[in-house]
Amino acid sequence: MTDARTRQAAPQAQAQAAPQAQAQATPQRLTIRRPDDWHLHLRDGAMLQAVASETARHFARAIIMPNLVPPVVRSHDAAAYRERILAALPAGSNFEPLMTLYLTEASDPADLRQGVGDGLVRAVKLYPAGATTNSDSGVRDIEKVMPFLETMAELGLPLCVHGEVTDADIDIFDREAVFIERVLAPLRQRLPELRIVMEHVTTRHGLDFVRSQAQGMAATLTTHHLIINRNHLLVGGVRPHYYCLPVAKREAHRLALVEAATSGDACFFLGTDSAPHATHTKEAACGCAGIFTAPNTMSCLAQVFEAESALDKLEAFTSLNGPAFYGLPANEQALTLVKQDQPVAYPTQIPVEDGQTVTVFDPGFELYWAVEEAS
Ligand code: NCD
Ligand code: ZN
């Protein structure tokens, strides 16, 4: 197959069929426990209707990001959002949305206790104010949320962290490393009992930091950060569908991410950060951040893991390490991937409403691993 590490940025060069895969005559099968997605944006309204089934088709559960407009701050907001998600699922789906609250400086520990007690709230999301899409109500001063974080530590509830500082003077490619130094490391020291997921890690520093923490710390890795580096985003023309936050970094970091994902190490698991935006809002002078990977994530991952001779580690990454960190049982249901002779056809776009679409992630190489549909 075309190795993601060596492929060219130009789209014409990306669409080449993979020679090794073509030579592969005998179909191969891989059956794993059904995967979960530990970082997912489902949005609301028409977009939710359009994308919910794309995740529910392959995934059993997902941690649902709360960055709606307005954000999901209180437990009753999360309960109402959960109902809207369930209503958007195809009939017969038993996909389980795992709800999160959006941490603000006014978040209420008593409300958290109630949401957790009800079995509704599974994590809380920390966005530094202004870090990314719809993060204006995020945290400016971590001091102000310490009582809330202490309550979380007491309840054993994971804090999902968007690990980037937002200071205007910090270069966008350095924001993760600076966040670790200024916010995460001090927070770990101050409140070591707090379970933290550093989300969508994009750098070797992030991986090393997570590995250096004895326990109570994990990281999610996205599908796209295992496949694209910043050249894919910027060389030969700007490619808005490869723009996300944290922004893709240089190739050495991508290689480190692939190594971590395929290592089987319990502190790393899948959070796709599948983040749909209407195509026209990305193909714009000031395009939105977010890459929509829900439809083809499992095919992409199988390809990446196969290239590393690590298909035996795929289940740990997608289906075992996440539930273990969240204290949930792994799924009993299975998912089978089948390697085909011909590339799997995924739509390039999915219709939303009124002629709008959302564009599906293009990994830049053909995908040969198909998810076997239940008969
Ligand atoms: C996410 C979104 O669109 O909501 N965008 C992104 O680039 N990842 C927000 C986020 O997770 O940062
Ligand atoms: Zn996200």
Side-chain angles (χ1 to χ4, degrees):
M1 55 172 279
T2 309
D3 188 336
R5 288 171 304 183
T6 55
R7 69 196 172 81
Q8 300 298 304
Q12 312 86 283
Q14 293 176 3
Q16 298 293 319
Q20 230 174 298
Q22 281 182 333
Q24 176 60 262
T26 335
Q28 296 169 20
R29 295 169 68 82
L30 176 67
T31 297
I32 58 175
R33 284 181 190 258
R34 206 163 174 82
D36 301 307
D37 185 347
W38 299 96
H39 179 139
L40 175 67
H41 300 266
L42 282 181
R43 315 299 192 202
D44 215 340
M47 186 63 91
L48 170 62
Q49 301 299 322
V51 303
S53 59
E54 297 298 325
T55 289
R57 191 174 294 135
H58 298 161
F59 293 85
R61 300 170 289 198
I63 283 279
I64 308 298
M65 287 296 120
N67 63 332
L68 304 182
V69 185
V72 180
V73 174
R74 297 183 64 89
S75 295
H76 68 81
D77 302 325
Y81 185 30
R82 181 172 176 277
E83 290 307 316
R84 299 199 295 280
I85 294 169
L86 295 176
L89 294 171
S93 169
N94 45 21
F95 174 77
E96 191 186 354
L98 305 174
M99 305 311 293
T100 64
L101 299 182
Y102 185 114
L103 183 59
T104 71
E105 291 178 3
S107 288
D108 175 9
D111 177 62
L112 175 71
R113 282 183 195 282
Q114 191 181 335
V116 174
D118 292 346
L120 171 73
V121 174
R122 307 304 186 117
V124 170
K125 174 77 186 217
L126 167 67
Y127 285 107
T132 186
T133 311
N134 305 336
S135 64
D136 293 345
S137 337
V139 174
R140 287 189 164 74
D141 179 3
I142 198 102
E143 271 321 307
K144 299 225 172 84
V145 296
M146 280 317 288
F148 191 93
L149 297 181
E150 281 156 15
T151 306
M152 288 182 63
E154 182 197 320
L155 296 171
L157 197 76
L159 178 72
C160 298
V161 174
H162 183 109
E164 290 189 291
V165 293
T166 54
D167 313 53
D169 60 327
I170 304 295
D171 188 277
I172 190 168
F173 292 102
D174 298 335
R175 289 181 170 198
E176 186 169 293
V178 175
F179 181 86
I180 293 167
E181 183 190 310
R182 290 191 190 167
V183 184
L184 199 51
L187 181 59
R188 288 291 292 162
Q189 296 248 314
R190 182 153 168 197
L191 197 52
E193 307 81 26
L194 179 63
R195 300 173 68 69
I196 299 182
V197 183
M198 188 174 173
E199 301 198 277
H200 40 52
V201 166
T202 58
T203 62
R204 218 170 16 201
H205 316 102
L207 298 168
D208 288 346
F209 180 78
V210 172
R211 286 194 191 98
S212 74
Q213 303 294 296
Q215 54 188 348
M217 174 100 211
T220 54
L221 280 68
T222 76
T223 309
H224 48 277
H225 287 114
L226 300 179
I227 294 174
I228 58 165
N229 64 33
R230 63 196 201 179
N231 277 13
H232 297 111
L233 172 67
L234 295 169
V235 172
V238 65
R239 299 225 165 63
H241 297 292
Y242 288 159
Y243 176 57
C244 67
L245 291 169
V247 70
K249 307 296 190 299
R250 59 173 69 241
E251 177 65 359
H253 293 292
R254 189 192 70 81
L255 292 174
L257 296 174
V258 170
E259 190 192 357
T262 58
S263 68
D265 195 334
C267 62
F268 300 123
F269 44 87
L270 174 66
T272 64
D273 193 15
S274 179
H277 291 272
T279 299
H280 71 280
T281 64
K282 287 188 66 66
E283 295 174 1
C286 182
C288 299
I291 300 181
F292 180 53
T293 52
N296 59 6
T297 273
M298 291 310 296
S299 294
C300 288
L301 290 176
Q303 203 107 344
V304 169
F305 277 62
E306 184 188 33
E308 300 300 307
S309 305
L311 278 173
D312 60 327
K313 299 292 197 320
L314 184 63
E315 185 180 42
F317 183 64
T318 63
S319 318
L320 300 177
N321 296 348
F325 186 84
Y326 273 84
L328 293 169
N331 297 308
E332 287 303 328
Q333 287 171 291
L335 178 129
T336 297
L337 288 147
V338 183
K339 191 168 180 190
Q340 301 182 165
D341 292 337
Q342 295 302 316
V344 188
Y346 282 102
T348 52
Q349 295 185 328
I350 285 174
V352 182
E353 62 170 352
D354 301 335
Q356 292 185 16
T357 64
V358 54
T359 297
V360 177
F361 174 60
D362 171 8
F365 46 79
E366 303 283 16
L367 296 168
Y368 288 90
W369 287 91
V371 176
E372 193 172 70
E373 300 296 333
S375 50

